Amino acid sequence: MKKFKDNWEITQNWQLFYPLFGILLSLGSGFLIAYRFKNFFEHGSVTQLLFLGIATLLLAYLFVKISLFCFAKLKNRWVLEYRWQFIAVFIVFAITGSTAGRISSPVMQMIGLDYETTSGWLYWPLRIVLIFPLYQLLLLVVAWIFGQYKFFYQFEKKMLSRMGLGFLFTK
């Protein structure tokens, strides 16, 4: 455990939350993807359960490996004090993206644009335009919850200024 803590620059036990939560999210994502393929097997069979277990573990392993690869690539680009903060940043991105995607459909329905009744040529561009500000707001809220507000505030400021929307951050 000491080697793990040293590797991720974990100085206090509460910081172990981030790697543990990251692994749980990887397992959950792996399970959700594997669950989509459960119908290839007889319902409730041992083969189906075995497939779900093995596929979940393999996908979670793949997600962790991809994340570690990304950490190595972003280590010099992102200014973070500790290595464990990379995990927190990835968690914030994952939760924010999933949440923005999930709530954009009900918001579209609230404004009277339903997938069933609106042309795809209108629906999808409007949904993407709607997701953008939702994502920006959610990113700061979720970042604050996970203690990464300062990083994401700077990240958004830089991104929006590159898009010509830097005026949103002037005082």
Side-chain angles (χ1 to χ4, degrees):
M1 183 61 110
K2 175 146 177 46
K3 184 178 177 184
F4 180 82
K5 283 183 170 182
D6 290 343
N7 184 44
W8 286 100
E9 299 173 346
I10 293 173
T11 57
Q12 298 177 2
N13 285 338
W14 68 266
Q15 296 164 344
L16 286 168
F17 166 79
Y18 293 107
L20 178 63
F21 194 57
I23 289 169
L24 289 174
L25 285 176
S26 296
L27 286 167
S29 298
F31 176 76
L32 289 174
I33 292 170
Y35 191 76
R36 297 237 179 211
F37 296 99
K38 71 176 177 21
N39 293 333
F40 290 130
F41 304 96
E42 185 180 326
H43 179 70
S45 69
V46 172
T47 310
Q48 184 185 42
L49 293 174
L50 193 61
F51 167 77
L52 280 173
I54 292 171
T56 297
L57 292 174
L58 287 174
L59 287 167
Y61 177 78
L62 180 67
F63 296 151
V64 168
K65 286 305 252 186
I66 290 169
S67 297
L68 292 173
F69 174 77
C70 292
F71 292 161
K73 293 292 181 186
L74 294 169
K75 184 170 61 173
N76 297 327
R77 291 188 72 195
W78 288 352
V79 181
L80 293 169
E81 216 172 315
Y82 303 104
R83 290 190 74 208
W84 62 263
Q85 289 177 304
F86 281 96
I87 300 169
V89 167
F90 272 49
I91 289 170
V92 169
F93 276 126
I95 290 173
T96 303
S98 301
T99 305
R102 285 282 185 185
I103 67 173
S104 64
S105 182
V107 171
M108 290 288 285
Q109 289 175 349
M110 277 189 341
I111 60 175
L113 297 170
D114 189 56
Y115 178 72
E116 308 296 325
T117 59
T118 308
S119 165
W121 292 100
L122 179 64
Y123 180 82
W124 288 108
L126 285 175
R127 185 168 173 177
I128 290 168
V129 167
L130 175 70
I131 286 175
F132 182 74
L134 280 173
Y135 182 81
Q136 302 309 312
L137 292 171
L138 281 171
L139 193 61
L140 292 177
V141 171
V142 175
W144 177 76
I145 291 169
F146 282 88
Q148 300 302 313
Y149 181 83
K150 183 179 173 184
F151 172 82
F152 280 98
Y153 182 78
Q154 294 302 320
F155 182 86
E156 278 202 14
K157 214 162 83 166
K158 187 176 179 182
M159 180 186 65
L160 291 175
S161 66
R162 286 181 178 172
M163 297 173 79
L165 300 171
F167 64 89
L168 295 171
F169 287 96
T170 58
K171 292 182 180 181

